[in-house]
Amino acid sequence: MPAPHGHRRTGPPLLLLTALAITLSGCTGSGPGGSDDFGPEPTVASTPAKLRTQGLKFPLDAYERSTTEQRVLTRAQQMLTNRCMARYGFAFQAPATAVTPGDSTDDARRYGVSDPETAAAYGYARPNKPGSTRTPPRQPELSSTGKLVLYGASDDGKPQDLPASQQEAEAVRKKGKGTTKVGGEAIPVGGCIRESFLKLYAPTRDSVDVLFVFQLISEAQSRSREDSRVRRVFKRWSSCMKESGYSVSNPAGVASQLGLRDDELSSPRAITAAKADVACKEKVNLVGVTFAVESAYQRQLINKNAETLQLVKKQDEDRLRFAASLTAA
C-alpha cells in the first residue's frame, strides 16, 4: 500500500526498515480494514475552512507514537543489536538514526502546496530543513563474519518465510533450523538486526504488525481520494486553475503535471503557478473538504478495527516500558 502523501509522523527508524523485509503477521485475518466493501460514503458532520495543513489533527493520530517515544524505541533497538553482536565477540555500535520531529515541513504538502508564504518564496520547492544537509554517519566497517552475524546467512530463506515474531524465531532455533554458527553459537535467522527488531516490535505471535496504523492511514487516504466529495472539490480546484491558464487535475502533483524539472521548482514560473494553486485551494476550500472526508474514513477504520487498535496501544505501552528498561540500564 502506498505511503500517505506528506505523512507527517516519524517513520520507522533505519534498523527497523532493514528488518521490515516482510509484513509481520498481525491479529487480524486480512489486511487493515479488511477487504470487504465499506458501503456508503461516511457522513461528514462539519467541514472546516482550512488552507494550511500544518497542525491538522486526524483521528488515527491517537494511535501513533510521538517523536520522543520513537527516539526511545530507536535507541532501544540499537542497544539490542549491539548486545546481540557482543554475544559473538563483536564490539559493534549500531549507527545513530535521526528521528525527524513530527511538526516538519512535509506536513505542508499533504494535499500539495497550501501555504501562501511558502508558495510565494519557494514555489513548489521545499524549504531546507535544519540539519538536512548533514552527512549521514558512516556504517562501522565489519568483516565478512561480522556482516554474517549482523544480517544473517544468505540461505536463511525468502523474507516472507522468516520467523515473524521472536517467539517463532526461538521455536525455529530449538528445532535446529538455520544453524549457521559463529564461535560455536548459532546466529539468529536474519541476523542481529532482525533479532533486535523482533524482540522489540514482535516478541510474540500475537504482536500487531508494526505498520498496522500506518496502513490504516494510507487506506483512509486512498479511499478518500475516490470519495465523491473529494472528487468534486478537486474538479472545482482544477477548473479554477484552468482559469489561470493551468491544465492540472491532481493538487498533490502540480509540478510534475506542469513539466517542471527539479531545478525549476522555485523558478518564477513555478512561483506564479504555486501562488495560483494556493489561491484556488482557498477558493474551493480543498484542504478543509479533503481533511474532513479523510478524517471520516479514519473514524470508520477505527470503528472496524477497534479491538486491534486497543492491542496496538497496549503493546506500544509494553514496548516503551521494555525500551526504557534497556536505556536506563
Side-chain angles (χ1 to χ4, degrees):
M1 188 172 293
H5 177 80
H7 183 52
R8 70 184 182 284
R9 295 299 184 194
T10 56
L14 179 61
L15 291 178
L16 190 158
L17 287 173
T18 306
L20 280 178
I22 64 169
T23 299
L24 300 181
S25 57
C27 295
T28 54
S30 59
S35 59
D36 53 309
D37 184 9
F38 266 43
E41 294 177 347
T43 301
V44 172
S46 62
T47 301
K50 290 278 186 182
L51 178 57
R52 294 171 176 83
T53 54
Q54 295 99 321
L56 291 180
K57 302 296 183 185
F58 289 86
L60 279 167
D61 289 354
Y63 300 93
E64 292 200 281
R65 303 181 194 104
S66 69
T67 302
T68 300
E69 290 171 336
Q70 190 57 64
R71 283 198 182 103
V72 171
L73 294 175
T74 298
R75 178 57 183 150
Q77 189 179 358
Q78 291 164 346
M79 293 180 70
L80 287 169
T81 301
N82 298 343
R83 291 182 183 185
C84 176
M85 293 292 286
R87 296 204 311 264
Y88 300 89
F90 292 95
F92 180 80
Q93 290 295 318
T97 304
V99 178
T100 305
D103 187 19
S104 70
T105 54
D106 282 342
D107 196 21
R109 303 299 171 95
R110 189 178 185 95
Y111 305 130
V113 64
S114 61
D115 181 77
E117 288 76 20
T118 301
Y122 298 97
Y124 289 102
R126 292 177 181 268
N128 290 329
K129 298 178 187 178
S132 62
T133 59
R134 288 183 302 174
T135 303
R138 290 187 62 185
Q139 292 280 357
E141 291 293 332
L142 282 173
S143 64
S144 58
T145 303
K147 291 177 182 177
L148 176 67
V149 175
L150 183 62
Y151 299 112
S154 59
D155 60 354
D156 278 346
K158 296 179 180 179
Q160 61 268 28
D161 297 330
L162 296 177
S165 70
Q166 183 61 21
Q167 195 173 30
E168 291 177 27
E170 289 296 329
V172 168
R173 184 183 62 80
K174 288 178 181 178
K175 290 179 181 178
K177 296 181 180 179
T179 53
T180 303
K181 293 184 178 181
V182 170
E185 183 176 351
I187 64 173
V189 176
C192 285
I193 280 186
R194 185 162 186 81
E195 180 184 275
S196 67
F197 170 78
L198 294 179
K199 282 186 173 181
L200 186 60
Y201 292 98
T204 62
R205 289 185 175 90
D206 69 346
S207 298
V208 180
D209 187 339
V210 70
L211 295 180
F212 186 79
V213 175
F214 178 82
Q215 289 168 343
L216 291 184
I217 292 168
S218 183
E219 181 166 349
Q221 191 169 59
S222 177
R223 289 182 180 273
S224 71
R225 293 302 181 270
E226 300 302 317
D227 188 277
S228 63
R229 292 158 293 192
V230 172
R231 285 176 174 268
R232 190 158 51 244
V233 78
F234 277 22
K235 188 174 182 179
R236 290 175 59 207
W237 167 84
S238 180
S239 296
C240 176
M241 289 291 284
K242 195 172 184 89
E243 292 174 4
S244 297
Y246 302 104
S247 182
V248 290
S249 59
N250 181 0
V254 177
S256 61
Q257 293 171 75
L258 294 178
L260 293 168
R261 301 190 309 268
D262 287 347
D263 61 353
E264 297 176 317
L265 295 180
S266 59
S267 65
R269 178 187 169 214
I271 289 175
T272 301
K275 289 165 69 175
D277 182 354
V278 173
C280 285
K281 283 190 175 85
E282 183 171 30
K283 180 178 179 181
V284 304
N285 194 26
L286 184 142
V287 173
V289 171
T290 310
F291 166 69
V293 171
E294 188 174 338
S295 295
Y297 280 101
Q298 285 199 10
R299 283 190 288 270
Q300 197 175 56
L301 283 165
I302 288 171
N303 291 335
K304 287 175 67 69
N305 296 276
E307 184 177 348
T308 304
L309 286 170
Q310 286 306 307
L311 274 175
V312 167
K313 274 187 170 292
K314 181 184 182 303
Q315 291 178 7
D316 254 352
E317 291 168 359
D318 293 342
R319 185 173 296 123
L320 285 164
R321 278 194 292 270
F322 174 54
S325 71
L326 290 173
T327 56

